[in-house]
Amino acid sequence: MKNLLKIILILILILCHQSKSFAKIQNKIVLKVNNEIITDYELKNKILSLIMLSGEELNQKNINKLKKPALDSLIQHKLKKIELSKYKIKTNNNQIQNYLLSVSSNNIENFKKNFGDNNLSFQLYLDEVETQFKWQNLIYKLYSNKIDFDDNSINEDLKN
């Protein structure tokens, strides 16, 4: 009888573990960009984040309206990550912190809480912000020495 109970317990544990594993597999790949993938979880998170951050109503019309822009944004994000991996661009935490303060009305914790309250990943949002700042730094690093401007011309344009 004890052996039967042990076997049943082991089977229950195995089945519970398999169902958790099966749930993880349900995160489907929507698109592959070189060696980076975009999952349906990321796409859903991006669409819902855009709706939350814009203050729009969560409805099917807005979801449908944002599918293509959200996917395009994720593709650009993955392409930037691929290109950034070729360079050693450091994260500027002060720049990210200042940005988060500005978009959160100086309340980052409440901003993070809004993501959690809406079952959204703040970490995915933060990764996009970090990638965008690294991208801007890379572009500046690559092209700053090619920028030439004439103070007189700028002042003349401002007068006009």
Side-chain angles (χ1 to χ4, degrees), residues 21-33:
S21 298
F22 182 72
K24 291 177 185 176
I25 295 172
Q26 294 302 309
N27 195 10
K28 295 180 181 140
I29 295 173
V30 174
L31 191 66
K32 185 175 179 200
V33 181

Side-chain angles (χ1 to χ4, degrees), residues 22-93:
F22 182 72
K24 291 177 185 176
I25 295 172
Q26 294 302 309
N27 195 10
K28 295 180 181 140
I29 295 173
V30 174
L31 191 66
K32 185 175 179 200
V33 181
N34 285 355
N35 60 341
E36 295 281 332
I37 60 168
I38 297 172
T39 64
D40 60 347
Y41 173 76
E42 289 172 299
L43 182 58
K44 176 185 173 190
N45 195 80
K46 181 68 175 175
I47 292 168
L48 296 178
S49 295
L50 289 171
I51 290 172
M52 180 194 76
L53 293 171
S54 68
E56 291 187 33
E57 182 183 344
L58 178 60
N59 58 38
Q60 195 59 49
K61 180 183 175 190
N62 286 336
I63 291 171
N64 291 341
K65 180 177 77 173
L66 289 172
K67 277 183 186 176
K68 175 124 176 59
L71 187 58
D72 290 344
S73 176
L74 288 170
I75 291 169
Q76 289 176 6
H77 172 70
K78 297 298 181 173
L79 288 171
K80 287 175 184 176
K81 283 187 82 141
I82 292 166
E83 194 60 29
L84 284 167
S85 69
K86 299 174 187 175
Y87 300 91
K88 292 190 190 286
I89 303 294
K90 293 184 179 178
T91 301
N92 184 335
N93 290 325

